[in-house]
Amino acid sequence: IQEQVAGTHPNDNDTDDDLALDGVEVAQGSDPLDSLSPLKNGVLNLAAASDYLEVSSGPVLTGSMTVEAWVKASAASGIIVEKLHARGGNKDFVLELVAGDLRFTYRTEDGLTKILTLDANIATGEWVHVAAIVDYPDGTDGLLTVTAYWAARNQTQTAQTDLQGGIVGGVGVLR
């Protein structure tokens, strides 16, 4: 009867597979059917500079988007996020560190490659939040903003440019 009231599975002590027993969750007032209740913080930890996560079919780019990550660089240069194009050729976009500077490279509708670089001087071993924000409302040229934020210093640096042709991209690998 308790399982019926809670909606849990009578033969499974952990219906939502969150490693907390259903009875404990009910007693604590959290939802035994929701693996995020109570809310848990999670992180993807890539321990080596050569580690990466790959999504076999990244998004098709048609409008506004944000690419962001917290990074603790182990080298002054390296790719943070890149979106490959299924047919090859130029990558749809790349967010990377180049000699400590934050660079966003993207492919436009006319096939050109454009670059926006933020002179950030990001040091190795320091946590920094980096982002590339594409604001591309219908009927506009759009705006690209690249930012770096150091929480320890409460410091933000930003660079902006007109997109001059929207970012395009088809199906492809995101890593």
Side-chain angles (χ1 to χ4, degrees):
I1 292 212
Q2 290 175 341
E3 288 87 2
Q4 289 176 333
V5 171
T8 59
H9 193 286
N11 296 322
D12 188 347
N13 290 332
D14 183 15
T15 304
D16 61 3
D17 294 325
D18 65 353
L19 304 178
L21 298 176
D22 293 345
V24 172
E25 287 194 73
V26 170
Q28 292 176 341
S30 62
D31 185 351
L33 303 176
D34 182 354
S35 64
L36 296 178
S37 172
L39 185 62
K40 297 169 186 67
N41 287 322
V43 67
L44 175 64
N45 184 10
L46 304 176
S50 59
D51 290 350
Y52 64 92
L53 170 73
E54 183 171 290
V55 179
S56 63
S57 183
V60 174
L61 308 175
T62 58
S64 299
M65 70 170 190
T66 299
V67 177
E68 61 184 324
W70 279 97
V71 296
K72 185 177 183 182
S74 60
S77 297
I79 293 174
I80 299 167
V81 178
E82 67 181 348
K83 167 83 170 44
L84 308 179
H85 194 69
R87 290 187 231 136
N90 293 334
K91 297 171 182 173
D92 292 341
F93 67 81
V94 179
L95 180 62
E96 63 186 325
L97 286 178
V98 178
D101 294 335
L102 186 60
R103 178 185 293 171
F104 188 73
T105 305
Y106 61 97
R107 190 166 56 90
T108 63
E109 294 170 331
D110 56 8
L112 298 176
T113 299
K114 307 251 176 138
I115 298 171
L116 176 60
T117 301
L118 173 63
D119 183 13
N121 298 311
I122 295 172
T124 58
E126 183 175 35
W127 281 106
V128 181
H129 181 266
V130 297
I133 304 156
V134 177
D135 186 12
Y136 191 56
D138 289 340
T140 68
D141 286 337
L143 185 67
L144 171 64
T145 305
V146 176
T147 67
Y149 170 69
W150 294 262
R153 297 188 230 157
N154 193 26
Q155 177 186 0
T156 302
Q157 288 184 298
T158 302
Q160 284 187 328
T161 188
D162 290 332
L163 282 173
Q164 303 166 352
I167 294 178
V168 296
V171 174
V173 173
L174 178 68
R175 62 178 175 198

